[in-house]
Amino acid sequence: MTKQQGGPPVRRAVVSGSTFEERIGYARAVVDGDRVHVSGTTGFDYASMTISEDVVEQARQCLRNIGAALAEAGCTFADVVRVRYLLPAREDFEPCWPVLRRAFGEVRPAATMMVCGLADERMRIEIEVDARRGPVGPGAGLRVEPVAGDAMVEEWRQVHNAVVPPAAMSLDRARERAGRYRLANAYLGDVLVGCSTVRPPEGEERVATVIARVLPAFRGRGIGAALYEAGMAEALGAGAVETVVLAANGDGLRFAGARGFVERERYVLDGESDEWVDLRLAARPS
């Protein structure tokens, strides 16, 4: 469960930019500990505040809006445990089934369909979901895949830059990094949630570097552990393993410390103000 240090579960609101949320006074979703509650969501494209006349397209847009809210809350459709469908016309429900099945067919959440009036006559379907942010890992929707090709390099770069903005790099630099190091991306379903870097053993001590990065919304679910374990498998044969963490990243420092890394050095690069921490695994890798 997501908690404050020594405190109660964290409650956090997720907003989408919909004018309805501001005018009425609600959030697109609320994260309450390990529970995520997504408000009834209609087929409006919130960027343009337009809505299709077609109920199937409205259903698709509902799911796009819900998927974005879930991702910001650190979830995917795989975490949904309850879904409610609200439609003014019962005959509109069946045409939406193929779209709904693509989102929920493997998840099989509890579901209810209700026929009722909606707030705007243009709305033909509204969908509400509840989700739970539980631990994940290989076999539970989490995939850790080696970076191959520009699309995956760009995804790796997005996570890297989000987690360590002081070291943000261009796509060309990320490509160069992919040519020298072993990079991987982590996906929860189809959602990008993390990445890793493994620098192969080098020098007389044969020191390898293993760095795991997880987007903040998805931390605390076992994703970092899966990335770390995959990275350590890539570092077999190393005489020692190191990692480096931005000092401001308390989650990263706690993660490294829990796995036996000890601090070796703190430093600030020339011309910069951000502090970095080099750590080394206390026990030699086997």
Side-chain angles (χ1 to χ4, degrees):
M1 182 178 289
T2 304
K3 293 186 178 181
Q4 294 173 336
Q5 195 78 17
V10 173
R11 184 183 187 279
R12 175 169 66 90
V14 174
V15 296
S16 69
S18 161
T19 58
F20 298 120
E21 295 167 33
E22 180 64 25
R23 292 166 63 189
I24 299 172
Y26 69 97
R28 177 57 43 206
V30 171
V31 182
D32 186 16
D34 62 354
R35 300 288 176 175
V36 177
H37 308 278
V38 181
S39 296
T41 301
T42 62
F44 271 91
D45 179 337
Y46 297 135
S48 60
M49 286 308 295
T50 58
I51 189 168
S52 171
E53 295 181 359
D54 179 63
V55 68
V56 176
E57 179 53 36
Q58 285 194 28
R60 290 194 187 96
Q61 187 62 46
C62 285
L63 295 173
R64 292 187 197 106
N65 296 339
I66 290 169
L70 288 171
E72 190 170 344
C75 287
T76 71
F77 283 107
D79 299 303
V80 172
V81 296
R82 179 83 187 175
V83 58
R84 298 172 184 84
Y85 303 107
L86 313 176
L87 296 93
R90 59 173 49 87
E91 63 269 19
D92 278 349
F93 189 41
E94 187 169 351
C96 298
W97 289 359
V99 172
L100 305 177
R101 190 184 308 115
R102 281 194 287 274
F104 301 114
E106 294 186 6
V107 183
R108 299 296 180 95
T112 301
M113 181 273 194
M114 292 180 281
V115 176
C116 60
L118 299 180
D120 185 317
E121 63 181 10
R122 293 173 293 174
M123 300 171 179
R124 298 179 64 183
I125 185 170
E126 183 170 324
I127 304 174
E128 172 187 335
V129 306
D130 296 316
R132 179 178 179 274
R133 299 177 71 254
V136 297
L142 180 66
R143 296 177 289 116
V144 177
E145 298 186 355
V147 167
D150 268 1
M152 291 187 74
V153 170
E154 173 60 20
E155 290 178 325
W156 180 93
R157 185 179 79 96
Q158 289 173 11
V159 176
H160 173 278
N161 290 359
V163 175
V164 283
M169 61 179 67
S170 66
L171 179 57
D172 283 342
R173 189 176 171 200
R175 287 193 192 104
E176 184 271 335
R177 188 69 55 91
R180 292 193 293 128
Y181 302 148
R182 299 164 185 166
L183 309 184
N185 290 338
Y187 305 89
L188 191 53
D190 294 326
V191 178
L192 177 70
V193 296
C195 75
S196 66
T197 301
V198 177
R199 300 173 187 167
E202 57 186 9
E204 292 184 4
E205 294 185 83
R206 293 192 53 74
V207 178
T209 301
V210 176
I211 304 172
R213 308 176 190 89
V214 179
L215 292 172
F218 289 90
R219 291 174 184 167
R221 304 194 62 187
I223 296 166
L227 280 165
Y228 170 73
E229 290 167 9
M232 289 297 290
E234 292 281 347
L236 286 177
V241 175
E242 294 183 343
T243 193
V244 58
V245 181
L246 187 64
N249 182 359
D251 289 339
L253 289 174
R254 285 187 290 273
F255 180 89
R259 279 150 187 81
F261 283 85
V262 294
E263 183 177 329
R264 301 185 72 225
E265 181 183 10
R266 288 184 179 238
Y267 55 91
V268 176
L269 297 174
D270 290 343
E272 299 183 6
S273 59
D274 296 284
E275 186 178 44
W276 298 86
V277 184
D278 283 347
L279 305 101
R280 178 171 287 196
L281 193 61
R284 293 171 64 87
S286 59

